[in-house]
Amino acid sequence: MDIHRHNASAWNTESDRGDSPWCQPVSADVIAAARRGEWSVILTPNKSVPRDWFGPLQGARVLCLAGSGGQQAPVLAAAGADVTVLDISAAQLAKDVFVAQRDGLDLTVTEADMTRLSEHVSGGFDLIFHPTSNLFIADLAPVWRQCAEVLKPGGRLLSGFVNPDFWLFDHAAVEGGAALQVRYKLPFNAARDLPEAQVQARIEQREALEFSHSLESQIGGQIEAGLLIAGFYQDDWSDEATPLNAYMPTSFATLALKPG
């Protein structure tokens, strides 16, 4: 089974359904405000990314990596950046196209797997904006390596990711009314670790299959790729999304710099 292709199909289904907060294109008012310099974007569920993480945006070449859906990329384009969006979901990319056409923005969209990004984009990016999405791939090392390759010297990688401890727990049981219970050993692989019936149900219903990644592979992996960690914060989610929200931060974000 090609899990990446399955997850692309799952995201197309979720995007077409339209009820996910990650599939809602921004309004024309948000774009107008961004053109006036009034903007913010997120890497994680709630907290706005510090503006000083971006550096100068006017004319900067920005890659939104696995960050489609008509949200961050159009805002950054309206703020003055030259934006390319690369994502595996055609339905999500269509929402970036929709916002760009509605509001007269110049965006480049590329349908591709984030693990093969250097095959689809040239180098020379000033900034890569990578919102929480690498839970849908098994191996982070190729992503960090290729991000380092396509960044200019002095370029910036802004990344969001889920707290790996999230996957210790049996979330399906919680949805059924049970208390939080530690069940899974990390790193978690949904196709391998979930009961076979749950895996099959996700496949049939086109629900994404997820992977956890250690902090060593998330943060250490960026360092190993030659990047320097220059910023960090944690974020929560919502009590409706997960009862874990009451006990721990559910997401982290990093700013990494390419030397030079």
Side-chain angles (χ1 to χ4, degrees), residues 167-175 179-184 198:
W167 282 279
L168 287 168
F169 298 91
D170 188 342
H171 295 277
V174 171
E175 291 172 4
L180 282 168
Q181 295 181 4
V182 172
R183 176 168 182 177
Y184 300 109
Q198 286 187 32

Side-chain angles (χ1 to χ4, degrees), residues 5 51 55 76 83 85 88 96 99 130-131 143 145 185 189 204 213 230 239 241 253 256:
R5 298 315 306 176
R51 287 284 287 266
L76 295 174
V83 179
V85 192
I88 203 169
D96 290 291
V99 177
H130 181 39
V143 175
R145 183 176 63 250
K185 182 179 178 180
N189 176 333
E204 292 173 357
H213 299 288
D239 293 343

Side-chain angles (χ1 to χ4, degrees), residues 2-26:
D2 186 335
I3 291 182
H4 289 194
R5 298 315 306 176
H6 165 77
N7 283 345
S9 178
W11 270 100
N12 287 338
T13 298
E14 183 163 346
S15 187
D16 290 342
R17 194 165 56 236
D19 54 359
S20 167
W22 319 121
C23 303
Q24 306 295 324
V26 296

Side-chain angles (χ1 to χ4, degrees), residues 213-229:
H213 299 288
S214 67
L215 294 180
E216 183 175 21
S217 61
Q218 293 279 15
I219 298 174
Q222 295 181 60
I223 296 169
E224 188 173 343
L227 304 172
L228 305 176
I229 302 299

Side-chain angles (χ1 to χ4, degrees), residues 31-47:
I31 296 301
R35 284 184 161 129
R36 298 192 301 269
E38 303 165 7
W39 58 271
S40 66
V41 287
I42 57 174
L43 289 163
T44 54
N46 294 309
K47 190 175 291 187

